[in-house]
Amino acid sequence: MTDPTAAEVRRLRAEEGLSVRQIQARTGLGRNRVYALLRGVAAPAWTRRPTAKDGLRAAALALRGEGCSVNDIAVRLGVAKSTAYLWVRHLPLDPDEEIAAERRRAHSKVMTDARWSAHRQARDTARAATVADAATWVGSMRHRELIMVGAALYWAEGEKAKPWRPHECRVRFINSDPGLVDIFVRFVEAMGAPRATLRFRVSIHETADSEAAVRWWAERVGVPAETFRPTSLKRHRPTTVRHNTGEDYRGCLIVDVPRSRQMYWRIEGIMKGMGDGGDGEGR
């Protein structure tokens, strides 16, 4: 026996050319039920939406025929390289054409660099002059200035007690910027911790030259490399894109101040005074 509901749904589709939504409204059936009853029945032409990128794809094929690379096609059409590749991968470039495309890219880079070289030189000159003027203005920090700057630096970058471990108060600083490390070491010396009592350790990726990093940091902070604690190696993750590589990558330096609870409390107090806007005279 023929299901009258199914027959009606299929008639509405085939004879009246209704969409699924219109059939739902006419019959009161659910969307999934309508789709099931329409299995094998072609949709009316008017319900088929055109593909928005058909024109772009045709343009990509035309550009490929002219010898353009995937990268050039992506740039000219404003699409992702992966999309351009999917459209034209069945049309590989001849080796000579690929070489020509690479030559065009290299030439474009040379022209761009030449166009902007004067601007970049002026920018770099202005930056160097501004940095030099600011450094001259700073001059030598007095004791009070060093203490306040160092405390702010530590409170922003150093290890602090956690709400769930409020009494674990120790001064530990880790950073990859040698300038900030220099300021911190001078700061803790001004707070009464001699440099020779500090504990140093390098933290670096396992693929880097850890021994060279230790020697470099030891020279930077002015202590023997033999006094450094064992290096902490970070596991290499091949899927991670890292930019801190090459000869200039020396990891981070960890500086521990032994028996530093009182120093931590004092840093906490300095920051409280600065945050409260206190204007009392330093001692």
Side-chain angles (χ1 to χ4, degrees):
M1 181 178 295
T2 304
D3 182 353
T5 301
E8 176 63 10
V9 167
R10 297 169 76 88
R11 186 193 68 79
L12 292 172
R13 184 68 146 182
E15 296 180 10
E16 298 190 28
L18 301 185
S19 66
V20 170
R21 182 171 296 179
Q22 289 171 333
I23 294 173
Q24 283 183 256
R26 184 78 67 86
T27 62
L29 297 174
R31 181 171 177 270
N32 292 337
R33 176 64 174 157
V34 172
Y35 271 116
L37 295 176
L38 289 176
R39 189 173 293 116
V41 180
W46 73 269
T47 64
R48 299 175 191 153
R49 284 185 272 177
T51 302
K53 292 187 177 180
D54 281 348
L56 289 176
R57 181 169 184 170
L61 294 174
L63 290 172
R64 189 62 158 183
E66 297 173 7
C68 292
S69 67
V70 169
N71 187 62
D72 289 338
I73 293 171
V75 172
R76 293 176 65 171
L77 299 182
V79 298
K81 284 180 64 175
S82 58
T83 300
Y85 170 74
L86 289 175
W87 287 343
V88 303
R89 60 182 174 183
H90 63 291
L91 299 173
L93 285 179
D94 293 335
D96 291 344
E97 292 176 333
E98 191 68 52
I99 293 172
E102 183 62 34
R103 190 182 300 116
R104 287 195 297 270
R105 285 193 292 270
H107 175 71
S108 177
K109 184 179 186 306
V110 170
M111 295 300 292
T112 300
D113 290 344
R115 183 184 306 164
W116 290 97
S117 61
H119 167 75
R120 291 168 179 166
Q121 183 176 0
R123 176 200 61 195
D124 294 343
T125 300
R127 177 180 181 177
T130 302
V131 170
D133 288 344
T136 301
W137 176 81
V138 171
S140 298
M141 286 191 290
R142 295 188 296 271
H143 177 81
R144 175 183 170 85
E145 294 171 336
L146 177 59
I147 293 297
M148 296 180 71
V149 169
L153 170 63
Y154 182 80
W155 214 244
E157 297 286 332
E159 183 177 300
K160 295 183 284 294
K162 302 295 189 291
W164 55 91
R165 293 197 303 269
H167 302 300
E168 289 191 11
C169 302
R170 62 175 178 176
V171 177
R172 168 184 280 183
F173 185 79
I174 176 170
N175 211 277
S176 62
D177 188 319
L180 296 185
V181 170
D182 288 343
I183 294 174
F184 175 73
V185 172
R186 290 167 54 201
F187 161 67
V188 294
E189 284 185 311
M191 294 282 284
R195 187 172 304 223
T197 65
L198 305 180
R199 298 170 183 167
F200 299 96
R201 181 196 303 268
V202 170
S203 175
I204 195 169
H205 286 276
E206 61 183 354
T207 55
D209 188 344
S210 59
E211 294 182 1
V214 169
R215 292 193 299 270
W216 188 89
W217 278 112
E219 182 178 356
R220 181 78 192 199
V221 298
V223 301
E226 296 75 21
T227 63
F228 271 51
R229 298 300 175 95
T231 300
S232 174
L233 296 177
K234 303 176 185 178
R235 186 178 299 277
H236 176 63
R237 298 180 183 275
T239 58
T240 302
V241 178
R242 289 176 46 226
H243 298 286
N244 53 346
T245 58
E247 296 180 358
D248 293 336
Y249 172 59
R250 304 179 182 92
C252 297
L253 185 65
I254 303 171
V255 185
D256 273 305
V257 183
R259 297 180 295 278
S260 53
R261 179 182 295 179
Q262 290 281 349
M263 182 184 294
Y264 183 94
W265 292 347
R266 190 176 176 194
I267 294 172
E268 191 174 24
I270 293 170
M271 292 308 301
K272 175 175 172 52
M274 292 171 63
D276 290 346
D279 57 359
E281 291 297 326
R283 294 178 173 83

